[in-house]
Amino acid sequence: MPSPSDTRRPLATLRATVLGSGSSGNALAVQWGAETLLLDCGFSAREVERRLAAAGIDPGTLGAVIVSHEHTDHIRGVRILASRRGLPVYTSRGTRVASGLDREVPEVQTIASGKTFTIGSISVTAFRTSHDAAEPLGFRFEAPCGTALGVMTDTGTVTEEARDALRGCDALAIESNHDARMLEDGPYPWFLKRRIASAEGHLSNDAAACLLAELASDRLQRVVGLHLSSTNNTARLAAASLTSALARLGHPAVVAAARQETACALMV
Ligand SMILES: [Zn+2]
Ligand SMILES: [Zn+2]
């Protein structure tokens, strides 16, 4: 349990902004000094640039795009954005092949679970997620000052690799896709309900809360729930679930739920 005299550090330098998250599009900007990395480009290139500018981030500072997996809500604008701005795209071999990005962007760098690579000054560690995609990944970003951000979305279960990579982060952005009861009682056809709740689907509010309880170290200051379903969840339910997991531990980290339409600053 954290104490007032813990070792938490200021978040003055690594910035992260969820530009939007949900089944209609996902993108997250990570900034260190004048460098910006984009994790997923699930809106059109024009829309990502608009959202960056609205969040006070100059699209001209983009240095690379990292792609978690090939689903459209994560790659919609990547071809145009990367081509227009000459940006390298970092993604797994499986995603590269499944998305056909190889043929359509100027440069693709292959990354893999368990490997750490650097883009500019930011160190990035990829880890395996569990999702119905070719080779999906989550990421831990670490700035030279040691501040760490963990991002994991689109995963039906939490893999061991994910648990290891997400430990000791200052901020966490983790999927909180659905309320299990709303999914069960909701309007989706049974096969879709089954897919979402499966080990290769999406993480529920309860599962996200469970994981958060496990990861709530003294360093943790900010948490945001990602990829909320507009049919099977509400921002209030997702935030309440994450908040009560922390409250049970007496942990003071601040919780928010990311929206589809609006940006959410995670670390400033
Ligand atoms: Zn998705
Ligand atoms: Zn997906």
Side-chain angles (χ1 to χ4, degrees):
M1 184 178 302
S3 71
S5 59
D6 62 26
T7 55
R8 63 192 57 202
R9 308 165 192 205
L11 293 177
T13 42
L14 187 69
R15 297 180 65 201
T17 307
V18 183
L19 299 173
S21 182
S23 58
S24 299
N26 295 272
L28 187 151
V30 180
Q31 295 171 276
W32 167 259
E35 306 165 16
T36 305
L37 306 182
L38 189 68
L39 170 56
D40 287 338
C41 187
F43 304 100
S44 71
R46 182 189 296 245
E47 179 64 9
V48 164
E49 289 173 347
R50 188 191 70 76
R51 289 182 185 232
L52 283 167
I57 303 167
D58 177 1
T61 62
L62 281 175
V65 185
I66 302 172
V67 173
S68 64
H69 66 294
E70 69 273 20
H71 290 163
T72 308
D73 56 318
H74 298 261
I75 67 163
R76 183 175 284 110
V78 71
R79 293 170 176 83
I80 291 177
L81 188 78
S83 301
R84 186 193 288 163
R85 295 189 171 273
L87 301 173
V89 175
Y90 290 72
T91 197
S92 67
R93 182 177 302 278
T95 301
R96 224 179 71 187
V97 172
S99 63
L101 279 174
D102 256 351
R103 301 183 300 276
E104 296 167 323
V105 298
E107 180 189 345
V108 179
Q109 296 281 346
T110 302
I111 55 179
S113 176
K115 304 282 187 224
T116 298
F117 51 102
T118 55
I119 305 176
S121 314
I122 302 174
S123 148
V124 188
T125 301
F127 57 85
R128 218 182 159 71
T129 54
S130 175
H131 193 51
D132 54 358
E135 192 183 347
L137 297 172
F139 301 94
R140 176 190 177 105
F141 299 89
E142 208 156 321
C145 63
T147 302
L149 159 72
V151 185
M152 179 180 70
T153 186
D154 296 63
T155 193
T157 56
V158 182
T159 64
E160 275 316 304
E161 295 95 320
R163 267 198 176 80
D164 289 347
L166 294 174
R167 266 184 241 289
C169 284
D170 300 85
L172 287 170
I174 51 178
E175 173 164 54
S176 196
N177 175 259
H178 59 275
D179 173 80
R181 173 67 63 85
M182 282 181 77
L183 177 65
E184 198 181 306
D185 296 345
Y188 281 8
W190 70 269
F191 69 87
L192 193 50
K193 290 181 181 183
R194 208 166 66 171
R195 186 215 144 215
I196 291 168
S198 77
E200 295 196 321
H202 292 274
L203 219 57
S204 70
N205 292 347
D206 288 347
C210 245
L211 176 65
L212 180 57
E214 209 181 298
L215 297 174
S217 74
D218 286 356
R219 280 178 59 167
L220 184 66
Q221 296 194 35
R222 302 263 202 285
V223 179
V224 65
L226 294 178
H227 219 294
L228 273 65
S229 166
S230 57
T231 304
N232 304 308
N233 209 355
T234 67
R236 192 182 58 78
L237 278 176
S241 174
L242 295 170
T243 301
S244 49
L246 292 173
R248 280 193 286 274
L249 301 170
H251 197 292
V254 176
V255 168
R259 312 291 178 118
Q260 185 69 87
E261 295 306 328
T262 53
C264 166
L266 174 57
M267 302 166 80
V268 289

